[in-house]
Amino acid sequence: IYRVQVIPFWSEKRLRGAVMVLQDITEVRRLEQMRTEFVANVSHELRTPLTSIKGFVETLLDGALEDKKVSQRFLSIIDAETDRLQRLIEDLLKLSHIESHREAIFQGETDAVPEIYRIRSLLTPMAQEKDVILHFEVERSLVLVPLTSDHLQQVLVNLVENAIKYNKKGGVVHLRAFQKEGLVQITIKDTGIGIPEESLPRIFERFYRVDKARSRDIGGTGLGLAIVKHIVEGSGGTIAVTSRVGQGTTFSISFSSVNNLTRT
Ligand code: ADP
């Protein structure tokens, strides 16, 4: 897409010529469109739980409150929808914080080993509830990674949570952290439902979900992987994904190790 501007130049009241300026505004338009889509998506995502909350509150006020069983059921729906709104707002804040403090992300230095074990403890109850086995294999001599501990946690929680959420009963999540060719690599492999090939390039987009209803049902905001990608790439790392429908998915992240700061 080009913006065309024609600037004539005159001398002694006669048109002597003109300059035509062609400006490539494809990127500007693309960014504008992305912003518009994002605002529309956010509004939609916020409105859905709000509409539901309002509906149930009104029904309660209209008399359903008299029936204890019904009101308990409605209140627990309101509670769940409020949780959803909260998660969504937290994820949106995280995303905008990351985007506006990009340079800060580069300043971190974290020993990944204790963080990884912390994530395992944190997510063990969720895995047990879903009947998924967590199998973690971490090289003890892992060097420091160039992220803040907070960001490393966000990345790992989002990836391991997804590996549990989109798994099958009795499935496995296998996390490996190791060093290879001067890089620290963390792979999170699951034996879950997998991601169709045509969706793979899109899963890091904000609000993109392979199955919207399923993601909503299990409490997803559609922002987790966008946050992960921002943090990893903002820290100079890379993220890759491979998947087979019905068999499972593997996310691999890698960082260059922080120089001369090996763990003791
Ligand atoms: P959500 O909050 O919906 O989980 P994410 O940004 O974390 O959002 O992930 C985007 C989408 O990518 C998910 O809705 C899901 O369809 C797919 N996805 C992410 N991780 C996995 C996984 N480990 N296995 C299968 N599908 C996944």
Side-chain angles (χ1 to χ4, degrees):
I1 307 166
Y2 287 94
R3 177 186 288 146
V4 185
Q5 211 181 354
V6 180
I7 308 161
F9 57 93
W10 304 79
S11 123
E12 293 160 10
K13 295 193 175 161
R14 284 189 59 190
L15 180 64
R16 300 287 172 182
V19 176
M20 185 159 81
V21 181
L22 284 178
Q23 191 186 3
D24 184 355
I25 55 165
T26 317
E27 187 58 15
V28 179
R29 278 286 154 80
R30 198 180 66 83
L31 289 174
E32 271 171 12
Q33 195 186 348
M34 270 174 64
R35 197 169 310 135
T36 314
E37 266 171 31
F38 180 62
V39 173
N41 278 333
V42 171
S43 314
H44 175 77
E45 296 289 334
L46 291 173
R47 197 157 49 202
T48 313
L50 264 183
T51 309
S52 154
I53 291 170
K54 193 160 170 52
F56 284 107
V57 170
E58 277 173 1
T59 318
L60 283 170
L61 289 175
D62 279 351
L65 207 53
E66 310 293 324
D67 186 329
K68 190 148 191 266
K69 250 193 166 156
V70 171
S71 42
Q72 230 154 24
R73 193 160 60 83
F74 283 9
L75 282 170
S76 66
I77 298 174
I78 292 170
D79 190 37
E81 293 291 288
T82 316
D83 281 347
R84 229 173 93 63
L85 271 179
Q86 203 168 13
R87 268 197 308 274
L88 194 62
I89 289 166
E90 271 164 21
D91 276 358
L92 282 169
L93 285 175
K94 271 185 212 157
L95 205 57
S96 85
H97 189 261
I98 293 162
E99 287 186 341
S100 58
H101 293 83
R102 246 168 207 281
E103 68 290 352
I105 301 175
F106 289 100
Q107 290 165 3
E109 262 174 30
T110 301
D111 182 351
V113 178
E115 293 305 333
I116 291 173
Y117 285 116
R118 194 165 301 145
I119 299 308
R120 189 175 63 177
S121 312
L122 187 77
L123 297 179
T124 296
M126 180 186 179
Q128 277 168 349
E129 197 187 311
K130 301 256 171 188
D131 199 9
V132 168
I133 296 156
L134 296 185
H135 181 54
F136 279 35
E137 230 180 303
V138 183
E139 252 176 38
R140 299 292 315 166
S141 59
L142 218 56
V143 289
L144 301 180
V145 289
L147 299 101
T148 61
S149 59
D150 207 31
H151 282 136
L152 179 61
Q153 272 188 32
Q154 276 178 34
V155 167
L156 294 177
V157 166
N158 284 345
L159 292 177
V160 177
E161 251 184 20
N162 279 350
I164 300 172
K165 284 193 312 195
Y166 301 104
N167 219 313
K168 301 170 190 155
K169 240 180 167 2
V172 179
V173 175
H174 188 179
L175 181 148
R176 280 182 67 219
F178 55 98
Q179 237 153 275
K180 196 177 159 195
E181 292 154 13
L183 298 175
V184 179
Q185 303 211 13
I186 306 176
T187 58
I188 293 117
K189 184 173 179 209
D190 67 59
T191 55
I193 59 172
I195 301 167
E197 202 178 333
E198 65 273 17
S199 297
L200 278 178
R202 301 202 56 193
I203 53 168
F204 295 103
E205 288 174 22
R206 301 151 173 182
F207 296 120
Y208 181 82
R209 289 111 150 186
V210 177
D211 180 344
K212 248 191 159 73
R214 181 179 183 133
S215 159
R216 279 228 181 87
D217 284 350
I218 50 186
T221 62
L223 294 173
L225 287 181
I227 293 173
V228 167
K229 189 175 161 77
H230 264 81
I231 295 178
V232 172
E233 292 186 348
S235 313
T238 57
I239 179 156
V241 55
T242 55
S243 188
R244 285 191 81 164
V245 173
Q247 296 196 9
T249 305
T250 305
F251 284 91
S252 319
I253 51 178
S254 78
F255 298 100
S256 50
S257 45
V258 176
N259 281 343
N260 306 324
L261 283 167
T262 325
R263 244 176 109 241
T264 46

